[in-house]
C-alpha cells in the first residue's frame, strides 16, 4: 500500500530553480507553487532533492526536485 502511494505521487514530479535561493528549504519540505498552470498550483508538493549553489555570476540559487503529494 505504501509503495502504491509512492508510485502515485511519483506520477507528478517537477524540477525548479529559484533565482533567489532559500536556505530554509530542505529535503522533505512541503512547498506551494504559484504562478503556474492551475493543475500545478492546486497540488501539494514535497521536495525530494535540493541543491543550494553560490557562484559569482548567478549569486545564490536553490534547485529543487519535487513530487506531488
Amino acid at each position: 500500500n505504501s509503495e502504491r502511494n509512492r508510485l502515485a505521487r511519483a506520477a507528478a514530479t517537477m524540477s525548479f530553480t529559484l533565482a533567489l535561493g532559500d536556505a530554509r528549504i530542505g529535503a522533505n519540505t512541503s512547498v506551494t507553487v504559484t504562478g503556474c498552470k492551475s493543475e500545478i498550483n492546486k497540488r501539494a508538493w514535497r521536495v525530494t532533492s535540493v541543491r543550494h549553489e553560490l557562484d559569482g555570476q548567478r549569486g545564490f540559487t536553490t534547485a529543487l526536485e519535487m513530487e506531488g503529494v
Side-chain angles (χ1 to χ4, degrees):
N1 192 9
S2 64
E3 179 65 9
R4 186 176 345 151
N5 291 341
R6 187 192 69 76
L7 291 173
R9 285 193 312 269
T13 61
M14 181 168 52
S15 300
F16 199 84
T17 299
L18 302 173
L20 298 173
D22 189 339
R24 299 173 296 176
I25 300 173
N28 293 314
T29 302
S30 295
V31 296
T32 302
V33 175
T34 59
C36 296
K37 292 180 181 180
S38 64
E39 296 84 11
I40 295 171
N41 292 343
K42 68 182 178 183
R43 183 181 283 273
W45 295 93
R46 184 178 65 85
V47 177
T48 57
S49 173
V50 63
R51 184 179 71 249
H52 303 288
E53 292 186 2
L54 178 62
D55 71 36
Q57 289 186 329
R58 296 186 313 160
F60 180 57
T61 60
T62 299
L64 308 171
E65 297 287 332
M66 301 177 286
E67 68 180 15
V69 292

